[in-house]
Amino acid sequence: MTETIRLFDNDPYLRKFKAKVLEIKENQIELDRTAFYPEGGGQAGDTGKVGGVEVLDTQKDDGRILHVLGAEPPFSVGDEVEAEIDWERRHLVMRLHSTAHIMEHFLWERLGKIERLGSFVDENKDRADYAYEGRLPSEDLKAVEESTNVFLAEGHEIRIDSDPAQPGLRIWRCGPIEIPCGGTHVGNTGEIGSIKLRRKNPGKGKERVETSLS
Ligand SMILES: [Zn+2]
């Protein structure tokens, strides 16, 4: 098994690319390289088009990336195809994913490092669940929202660093914040705009913070 070349790691802004079809299995296809981000690390899989056929979702199978098609492919194994991600959707995901790390920094600054139980970001919102008894106070949430929006507007650079000694590990850095993350991100917080926070209670001992663009 060869691993799919992950074009989005080096260039999260890459929208169009050419690739060779390595495998077609029912409605799932594997390319030698791809700009489609597969669902994982709390980020939704990309959509778009490969060889003129709609890609409904992108999934991971070990190191291979599988594109889930919405129709029979008109191409065959060995063909070179043109592909394009749904950039509008992906850019929303990038803006929200970058914001999620910044929001969490200010949340932890305010409430202490409450444990994150899970998170998921798509084009509509980021949702992050934290171990928390009772209700997250609305004045705290308001303060976190304000600090996040001020920080976003300041236009901080976002960098992803990798360590050759630890292959596969990617460190997301922005101002004083750093966190391991393999997702796709914008290059500057100025690209994000402003955000709104909402709380929800998904179950006992759990509080959810939803971040959306405003
Ligand atoms: Zn992340």
Side-chain angles (χ1 to χ4, degrees), residues 41 97 101 179-183 185:
H97 194 159
H101 294 323
I179 183 171
C181 181
H185 290 275

Side-chain angles (χ1 to χ4, degrees), residues 5-6 11 18 36 49 54 74 99 104-105 117 123 125 149 196 208:
I5 299 168
R6 300 158 59 94
D11 184 5
K18 283 184 182 162
F36 284 75
K49 275 186 173 173
E54 214 174 328
T99 308
E104 186 171 79
H105 168 77
L117 302 169
E123 72 275 28
K125 60 176 182 277
N149 279 330
K196 269 219 256 301
R208 174 171 295 173

Side-chain angles (χ1 to χ4, degrees), residues 137-204:
S138 57
E139 63 271 24
D140 286 324
L141 219 56
K142 199 79 215 154
V144 172
E145 184 181 279
E146 274 169 28
S147 307
T148 303
N149 279 330
V150 168
F151 187 89
L152 294 180
E154 283 166 355
H156 297 271
E157 190 200 348
I158 293 171
R159 271 190 9 241
I160 309 279
D161 294 325
S162 45
D163 178 357
Q166 291 173 283
L169 180 71
R170 294 163 64 79
I171 307 291
W172 183 96
R173 287 198 168 94
C174 180
I177 316 166
E178 86 172 45
I179 183 171
C181 181
T184 54
H185 290 275
V186 293
N188 192 291
T189 64
E191 220 174 293
I192 295 167
S194 62
I195 57 102
K196 269 219 256 301
L197 300 181
R198 273 182 69 180
R199 68 159 282 282
K200 276 192 178 161
N201 180 261
K204 204 175 153 20

Side-chain angles (χ1 to χ4, degrees), residues 52-80:
V53 182
E54 214 174 328
V55 176
L56 305 175
D57 192 13
T58 308
Q59 291 288 327
K60 217 165 22 184
D61 178 18
D62 284 323
R64 299 192 311 157
I65 294 175
L66 303 174
H67 307 77
V68 182
L69 302 185
E72 288 266 303
F75 46 79
S76 319
V77 170
D79 285 357
E80 191 185 61

Side-chain angles (χ1 to χ4, degrees), residues 37-40 42-46 57-58 89 93 120-123:
Y37 182 87
E39 181 178 338
Q43 181 177 324
D46 277 331
D57 192 13
T58 308
R89 177 174 179 274
V93 174
F120 190 75
V121 61
D122 63 14
E123 72 275 28

